[in-house]
Amino acid sequence: MIKRWAYSLTPQEEATAAKVGWERQLPMLGQPQRNRNYSEGDIWEAWQHMIAAASELAAARMFGLDDFVPHVNTFKSKLDIPGYEIRYAFTKTVPGYPKWSLRYNDGVDDPEQIYILMVGGPETKTRRSNAEGYQTPAFRAVGWMYGKECIQPQYVMPYGKNNFGVPIAELNEMSKLPVLVPND
């Protein structure tokens, strides 16, 4: 059983996540009509993809998947890591909204899948040193839920009736996660 739900990427793993994130944004560069979040621009979008790929890599390492590399542009045709969908949440400071929440889009996301919420990592600029091996701040797996459990009126987000955001306090504890990936 997995007992550690935090992981800091090595510089090499962070470089892999940066490359994957860039490759995920590459087909959308300069094409706002193809990117539903383009109001944030290509630089922000590429950075978000890098952080998401880094969270997937950290989650995989938590499961002992030492050779895992995040996928590029497989949109919904493959799970983020074997057995699970990974959702990264940037820290929110908007009054009335949870600091972190698990996103789910009904009609796009799979209701039968398990979604794991990840937080932390290099969300903000941090100074690193050789003393700690230049590792990223730790990503943390903070809870999980089946997609179908996210579809509740109290979780509806204001930017669309099919968008849900489940606060951490409402998620299942990581200690109760069904382990669906091999851990040799």
Side-chain angles (χ1 to χ4, degrees), residues 29-159:
L29 289 177
Q31 300 176 62
Q33 68 282 3
R34 290 191 62 209
N35 190 336
R36 64 184 171 176
N37 293 325
Y38 196 83
S39 62
E40 297 167 333
D42 280 318
I43 292 170
W44 174 257
E45 285 296 310
W47 180 67
Q48 287 183 105
H49 284 304
M50 290 175 189
I51 296 291
S55 72
E56 293 162 18
L57 190 52
R61 296 301 186 261
M62 290 175 200
F63 284 100
L65 301 172
D66 296 333
D67 295 330
F68 176 83
V69 175
H71 312 295
V72 175
N73 299 335
T74 57
F75 190 74
K76 308 296 179 195
S77 67
K78 282 182 130 176
L79 294 175
D80 291 334
I81 68 170
Y84 308 98
E85 286 292 311
I86 304 301
R87 288 296 155 88
Y88 182 81
F90 287 92
T91 303
K92 292 179 184 57
T93 57
V94 180
Y97 291 94
K99 185 174 182 177
W100 295 295
S101 62
L102 176 73
R103 312 181 304 293
Y104 181 82
N105 186 312
D106 190 27
V108 175
D109 295 324
D110 186 341
E112 300 304 317
Q113 289 303 320
I114 292 175
Y115 293 81
I116 297 174
L117 180 60
M118 302 285 288
V119 300
E123 177 178 10
T124 60
K125 182 178 178 179
T126 57
R127 294 281 179 199
R128 304 179 201 173
S129 72
N130 189 34
E132 64 268 347
Y134 296 103
Q135 292 182 324
T136 64
F139 283 93
R140 293 179 296 122
V142 294
W144 65 275
M145 190 173 269
Y146 283 96
K148 60 189 168 196
E149 296 173 317
C150 298
I151 306 168
Q152 302 293 327
Q154 67 269 28
Y155 304 143
V156 172
M157 298 303 285
Y159 47 84

